[in-house]
Amino acid sequence: MLDPVLLRTQTAELAQRLKDTRGFDLDTSRLAELENARKQIQKRTEELQNLRNTRSKAIGQAKAKGEDVSALMAEVAGFGEELKASEAKLEEIRAGIEAIALGIPNLPHASVPAGADESANVEQHRWGTPRAFGFVVKDHVELGARHGWLDSDAGAKLSGARFTVLRGQLARLHRALAQFMLDLHTNEHGYEETNVPLIVNEDSMRGTGQLPKFEEDLFATQVGDARRYLIPTSEVSLTNIVRDAIVEDAVLPLRMSAHSLCFRAEAGSHGRDTRGMIRQHQFEKVELVSIARPSESYDEHERMTRSAEVVLEKLGLPYRRMLLCSGDMGFSATKTYDLEVWLPSQDTYREISSCSNCEDFQARRMQARWRNPATGKPEPVHTLNGSGTAVGRALIAVMENYQNEDGSITVPEVLRPYMGGTERIA
């Protein structure tokens, strides 16, 4: 969440910035109403608490002298109920303010271009040249249909729409991609491999910004009184490792990577994206998360994005880096780069990785802090996350860019050690 001091002292200015950059309407009237009520109730609550403390001390002193304390006891009992009611009301008002604060998106960094949607995103650079095919290219669905390697019908029978069964060499290629990415990030990019839970509690989802705003986009479980959620990305699990913790300066930046299943109920309907594996309810991703010192988070953001780019370069997949505009960024991000890989069947670039700096937005929600050696005091860390990359979309890109006229698929050289030396899926 945003700095509560900013929300409290610069409400009008903040509301205008949110409107201009995010198209978000902050209910300033309701916020002012709650803030005024909080001040009044808090003042009265503190008065009653002080009164209770002084009277309790007087009772103790009177008892020590053997004096009659019945009058003092009656006085304390008299304002005790008011204090209890006042404390309850104060908590209710604070909860109302927090509910508003939890629904406010992060403010964009000054370098982020203004814009309402993806049309205002800015291309940063491109790598690689799309291959010129001497035959009519097939999409990944047609290529995967051979031998039933990619079976959406079986997925639908088992679970419903937007689920897929992979078989044989294609399933192995999918696994090889994930292993290659993990090895690259842990051996060359300095991330620690981490295996995390796929089911998390409400506090974890709230910490990274999925709750309360996006609950309808999540898959949830209910066992007894415990409600838990299937992660939409391992960013949730990895980032929340530092929730309610004070991280020592010596371990920063803390870099973690995880390969996990991801579950998203909001897959939606996007024309040709409904075909095949482009947009699934269940998919796999290799995630990158960094916990950084505030002064270093933008350098870390560039480093993280570069780590994801190296994946695509080693696979020989043409891509471009896009700087997202203010209206196309995620809820928690203050700056985001998208990497878009070339898909021959669509004759365009499609997102395969998104790398974001959230500054202290998630850290404030999680109470994740570091001990600043300059002051000795705990301060919010900066959190960053990125796809390094989406495994299913990498599989699609490899299938389409490395296809041959007979429908076979050449295995990229960096993946062959993970495929038992196989050079071509045929």
Side-chain angles (χ1 to χ4, degrees):
M1 63 176 66
L2 299 177
D3 186 344
V5 175
L6 181 67
L7 186 61
R8 186 169 59 249
T9 62
Q10 301 181 36
T11 309
E13 296 89 336
L14 177 61
Q16 191 61 53
R17 288 179 64 189
L18 289 167
K19 180 68 174 178
D20 292 343
T21 60
R22 290 283 203 167
F24 180 85
D25 291 315
L26 179 62
D27 190 346
T28 54
S29 297
R30 177 58 178 161
L31 195 58
E33 177 186 340
L34 288 170
E35 182 59 25
N36 289 334
R38 182 196 65 79
K39 290 178 181 178
Q40 294 176 12
I41 295 295
Q42 184 166 317
K43 181 180 179 182
R44 181 55 181 163
T45 301
E46 290 173 352
E47 289 173 351
L48 292 168
Q49 289 172 338
N50 289 334
L51 189 60
R52 178 193 59 190
N53 293 340
T54 56
R55 293 297 185 271
S56 296
K57 184 177 180 180
I59 289 172
Q61 291 172 341
K63 284 183 176 180
K65 296 176 182 179
E67 299 175 353
D68 182 15
V69 296
S70 57
L72 287 171
M73 295 286 286
E75 184 181 6
V76 170
F79 62 74
E81 286 302 315
E82 182 186 355
L83 174 58
K84 183 177 179 181
S86 184
E87 289 175 333
K89 184 63 176 178
L90 181 60
E91 184 58 34
E92 179 185 333
I93 293 170
R94 283 173 173 165
I97 294 173
E98 183 180 27
I100 293 176
L102 288 173
I104 301 173
N106 203 354
L107 290 168
H109 187 262
S111 63
V112 171
D117 53 41
E118 63 182 16
S119 64
N121 295 344
V122 178
E123 182 175 322
Q124 303 289 288
H125 62 249
R126 297 189 182 197
W127 182 91
T129 302
R131 174 185 168 191
F133 292 86
F135 55 89
V136 178
V137 299
K138 301 178 177 65
D139 70 7
H140 72 283
V141 178
E142 295 175 273
L143 293 165
R146 294 163 61 89
H147 312 297
W149 285 342
L150 192 159
D151 193 339
S152 296
D153 291 338
K157 180 173 72 173
L158 295 172
S159 304
R162 306 296 182 82
F163 292 89
T164 300
V165 170
L166 295 179
R167 296 190 181 93
Q169 291 285 71
L170 198 59
R172 187 174 185 180
L173 183 61
H174 184 268
R175 173 165 55 91
L177 280 161
Q179 291 178 303
F180 156 69
M181 293 175 196
L182 267 181
D183 284 350
L184 178 64
H185 294 315
T186 56
N187 295 335
E188 298 184 25
H189 296 159
Y191 290 86
E192 180 181 42
E193 183 171 351
T194 313
N195 191 289
V196 294
L198 304 181
I199 301 175
V200 298
N201 55 32
E202 292 185 21
D203 286 342
S204 295
M205 284 294 192
R206 189 177 297 107
T208 44
Q210 281 76 24
L211 289 179
K213 189 174 179 62
F214 303 105
E215 182 158 15
E216 64 181 18
D217 297 337
L218 304 170
F219 285 104
T221 67
Q222 187 83 33
V223 180
D225 294 332
R227 183 172 178 82
R228 295 186 176 87
Y229 297 85
L230 279 68
I231 59 171
T233 162
S234 56
E235 167 206 343
V236 176
S237 303
L238 289 171
T239 309
N240 273 276
I241 288 175
V242 297
R243 174 161 50 88
D244 295 325
I246 298 175
V247 182
E248 294 302 323
D249 176 73
V251 304
L252 297 178
L254 182 61
R255 300 180 179 123
M256 298 172 282
S257 180
H259 166 225
S260 77
L261 288 164
C262 305
F263 305 89
R264 297 188 182 177
E266 95 305 347
S269 178
H270 294 267
R272 56 188 169 184
D273 285 359
T274 61
R275 173 177 165 84
M277 291 179 62
I278 291 286
R279 198 174 292 272
Q280 299 271 281
H281 287 308
Q282 173 187 306
F283 59 97
E284 294 181 36
K285 189 154 62 111
V286 172
E287 187 74 2
L288 306 174
V289 162
S290 292
I291 310 300
R293 301 177 187 91
S295 62
E296 299 173 351
S297 68
Y298 281 94
D299 288 340
E300 189 69 15
H301 188 208
E302 296 293 333
R303 184 186 187 280
M304 174 181 285
T305 307
R306 182 63 195 143
S307 294
E309 288 178 339
V310 171
V311 171
L312 302 178
E313 291 173 12
K314 285 184 175 292
L315 289 170
L317 297 172
Y319 71 87
R320 65 180 183 178
R321 182 199 285 201
M322 304 294 291
L323 172 60
L324 299 196
C325 71
S326 56
D328 198 33
M329 289 195 306
F331 179 80
S332 298
T334 189
K335 184 175 183 178
T336 298
Y337 292 121
D338 270 6
L339 302 183
E340 298 179 347
V341 70
W342 179 256
L343 292 187
S345 69
Q346 297 187 15
D347 195 36
T348 192
Y349 292 92
R350 297 301 304 271
E351 180 201 340
I352 192 171
S353 172
S354 189
C355 298
S356 297
N357 187 351
C358 300
E359 292 192 358
D360 60 8
F361 185 84
Q362 293 177 328
R364 290 185 184 279
R365 300 168 76 102
M366 296 187 301
Q367 288 297 298
R369 296 166 293 169
W370 69 300
R371 195 174 303 281
N372 187 337
T375 64
K377 297 179 180 179
E379 299 174 9
V381 294
H382 280 194
T383 63
L384 304 94
N385 64 82
S387 309
T389 65
V391 181
R393 292 200 177 186
L395 176 67
I396 291 169
V398 167
M399 291 171 68
E400 294 196 4
N401 283 280
Y402 282 89
Q403 65 179 289
N404 302 305
E405 189 170 10
D406 62 359
S408 63
I409 300 165
T410 300
V411 177
E413 189 172 346
V414 293
L415 297 182
R416 292 173 188 175
Y418 301 92
M419 295 285 293
T422 299
E423 297 182 3
R424 188 178 64 164
I425 295 176

